[in-house]
Amino acid sequence: MTAEEIRATLTLCLMASYADGEKHDREREQIREVAQGLAGDAQVNLPGLYQDVLLRRVQLPEVLGRLASPESRQLAYEMAVCVCEADGHTSAKEDAFLAQVRQAWGLGGAHTTGGFDAEAQAVADAPLQAPLQAPLQTPLDASTAPATPAPHPAAADALPTTAAQRRPGSLPPAEMDRKILQASIMNGAIELLPENLSTLAIIPLQMRLVYQIGQSYGYELDRGHIKDFLATLGVGLTSQYLEQAGRKLLSGLLGKAGKGLMGGLGRQAVSSGMSFAATYALGHVANQYYAGGRTLSTDMLKDAYQHVMQDGQQLQARYLPQMQATARQLDTAKILSMVRGG
């Protein structure tokens, strides 16, 4: 894609992120931070695009007119769909926004866009109760698993200290660590794939991990609680998708199945450290939180997340070969089956 097409695609995604008009100030701030974080490419002034969208200095017809080729339009539309689906079902306003895009580009109704809309919705609606899938390669063993991260000092007093204090049915610490590490490797592998749906799948798999950790300590969580938990840590669903997809787009990796996969794996066009580290931190902080009876304050949760996130970033290079090996065994069909609990 040309620099102009990339700018137009990212502008469309930012417009999609605000289409429902219901973004919390916290999510707005996270989207702004994403724009700042992706601003390394001098050809794409993302903070400027963000300001244009937020202050309504740019209109949808103008943005759509900058995307002329069928391929760039399809990619931009799919990204916009994923942005709308990232935090759950699309709202009526988001549906209307996507309908405007389809009408302007002559894409027809949602049911005529290659089934992408339905598949994206199925990914966003993935059941929390489905089992987490271990990486497809050789399972981890004791020699490859890292040491358990030490609880963040702010959270230490809230955690159980003996096996007798664990709730009935909760996993032994070593097994919980293995579960979190396997989920982190899987999401790191998925981030290496070029498809939009693959990128979107990381979010429900993270939510499923939190659900299952809570369940292991006797808590039956719903989507609303998990979304609030992630937001408390500073993990926005829409902003997380925007950052993951934005990095792929700027690196030239994002696209259709089979385009750029092996090249992306070989040259690490996109660092899988983001999804690996985020999933790793989510898992361990959720484990601290629910093991301790949900007594950690907001500030404690945020501090603990940032602390364990740094641990995850340091570990990602160590597990990159396993992520790459797992990615080579994945495709969209396998990921859809996994997300749906197959």
Side-chain angles (χ1 to χ4, degrees):
M1 298 180 75
T2 66
E4 180 66 17
E5 288 174 325
I6 291 174
R7 284 194 292 269
T9 299
L10 290 170
T11 301
L12 183 65
C13 288
L14 289 168
M15 296 177 82
S17 72
Y18 290 118
D20 59 8
E22 298 174 0
K23 285 287 179 289
H24 189 278
D25 287 346
R26 181 167 49 194
E27 179 76 350
R28 287 175 177 267
E29 175 62 18
Q30 289 168 344
I31 294 172
R32 185 193 67 78
E33 290 176 359
V34 168
Q36 294 285 355
L38 295 178
D41 189 330
Q43 294 183 354
V44 181
N45 179 14
L46 256 171
L49 299 183
Y50 171 83
Q51 289 295 323
D52 287 344
V53 170
L54 198 63
L55 300 177
R56 299 185 179 180
R57 294 192 293 234
V58 61
Q59 300 301 314
L60 183 59
E62 175 189 350
V63 176
L64 298 181
R66 299 175 190 164
L67 293 160
S69 71
E71 292 80 10
S72 65
R73 289 181 173 184
Q74 185 67 28
L75 177 59
Y77 176 75
E78 289 183 2
M79 287 185 67
V81 170
C82 289
V83 168
C84 292
E85 292 284 5
D87 57 359
H89 266 303
T90 55
S91 66
K93 290 181 179 178
E94 288 170 331
D95 282 336
F97 175 84
L98 294 173
Q100 277 186 279
V101 177
R102 290 195 302 269
Q103 182 177 16
W105 283 341
L107 297 176
H111 63 283
T112 65
T113 53
F116 185 87
D117 302 66
E119 289 179 334
Q121 183 173 309
V123 170
D125 291 341
L128 295 171
Q129 299 83 356
L132 283 168
Q133 302 290 323
L136 303 177
Q137 61 180 80
T138 304
L140 296 169
D141 57 36
S143 65
T144 60
T148 304
H152 189 269
D157 292 340
L159 299 178
T161 56
T162 69
Q165 290 175 286
R166 294 200 301 271
R167 292 177 182 267
S170 62
L171 294 175
E175 186 61 29
M176 181 64 78
D177 296 341
R178 181 186 297 267
K179 185 186 191 81
I180 293 169
L181 181 57
Q182 287 181 331
S184 303
I185 289 173
M186 178 61 75
N187 279 342
I190 291 172
E191 189 181 351
L192 289 171
L193 302 179
E195 300 93 343
N196 271 301
L197 281 177
S198 298
T199 307
L200 182 63
I202 292 169
I203 294 170
L205 291 176
Q206 289 174 335
M207 294 179 68
R208 186 176 297 169
L209 175 64
V210 173
Y211 171 85
Q212 294 189 359
I213 291 172
Q215 188 182 48
S216 75
Y217 292 106
Y219 297 104
E220 287 295 330
L221 311 178
D222 58 23
R223 290 180 181 278
H225 174 91
I226 296 174
K227 288 179 183 179
D228 289 343
F229 175 74
L230 266 63
T232 299
L233 300 181
V235 182
L237 302 180
T238 302
S239 55
Q240 185 178 191
Y241 175 81
L242 278 171
E243 184 165 5
Q244 292 165 345
R247 290 188 188 282
K248 290 184 180 182
L249 182 67
L250 291 171
S251 71
L253 179 60
L254 191 64
K256 295 295 184 182
K259 291 184 179 178
L261 173 58
M262 300 311 293
L265 291 176
R267 58 189 169 87
Q268 293 179 242
V270 177
S271 170
S272 60
M274 177 188 169
S275 290
F276 174 90
T279 305
Y280 186 82
L282 279 173
H284 281 289
V285 174
N287 190 43
Q288 292 179 18
Y289 182 59
Y290 295 111
R294 301 198 294 188
T295 58
L296 302 181
S297 69
T298 296
D299 287 342
M300 287 179 177
L301 285 170
K302 287 182 176 178
D303 287 348
Y305 179 77
Q306 293 302 321
H307 175 80
V308 185
M309 183 77 166
Q310 292 175 4
D311 293 338
Q313 289 170 337
Q314 293 173 359
L315 284 170
Q316 78 90 16
R318 175 177 175 180
Y319 289 100
L320 181 61
Q322 289 173 272
M323 291 181 243
Q324 291 175 329
T326 300
R328 291 188 179 97
Q329 301 174 67
L330 293 173
D331 56 31
T332 303
K334 287 180 180 178
I335 292 172
L336 288 175
S337 176
M338 179 195 317
V339 169
R340 292 166 180 163

